[in-house]
């Protein structure tokens, strides 16, 4: 199962991807933006970077998980 997780409820923005490939059954990648409150600038580029690294497309994601905060 390929799962993209997005965390934007705190001052830092982070994105994680858990994915399965034929030769590697379970992989996890993670990125965090260390610049405080820059979510609108950094979120989509971080998602694109993780997808490129994993050689996946958005269509290959089974689930997108998001945090829900204050």
């Amino acid at each position: 199962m390929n799962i993209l997780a997005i965390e934007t409820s705190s001052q830092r923005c982070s994105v994680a991807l858990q994915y399965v490939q034929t030769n590697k059954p379970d992989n996890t990648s993670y990125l965090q933006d260390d610049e405080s409150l820059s979510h609108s600038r950094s979120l989509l580029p971080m998602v694109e970077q993780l997808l490129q690294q994993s050689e996946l497309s958005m269509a290959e994601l089974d689930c997108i998980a998001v945090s829900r905060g204050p």
Side-chain angles (χ1 to χ4, degrees):
M1 181 173 268
N2 301 323
I3 303 170
L4 176 69
I6 300 171
E7 162 56 57
T8 59
S9 66
S10 66
Q11 289 190 350
R12 303 221 190 295
C13 178
S14 61
V15 178
L17 178 63
Q18 182 176 2
Y19 58 101
V20 176
Q21 288 181 331
T22 306
N23 56 347
K24 299 177 187 174
D26 188 20
N27 301 285
T28 303
S29 297
Y30 171 82
L31 291 174
Q32 177 177 310
D33 183 13
D34 291 328
E35 186 178 337
S36 181
L37 299 176
S38 66
H39 303 24
S40 62
R41 289 188 310 269
S42 57
L43 180 61
L44 290 179
M46 290 187 340
V47 169
E48 290 174 353
Q49 183 179 347
L50 284 182
L51 289 173
Q52 280 183 339
Q53 288 174 355
S54 66
E55 300 177 352
L56 291 175
S57 68
M58 288 291 283
E60 294 174 290
L61 294 175
D62 297 305
C63 179
I64 298 175
V66 295
S67 62
R68 184 174 164 193

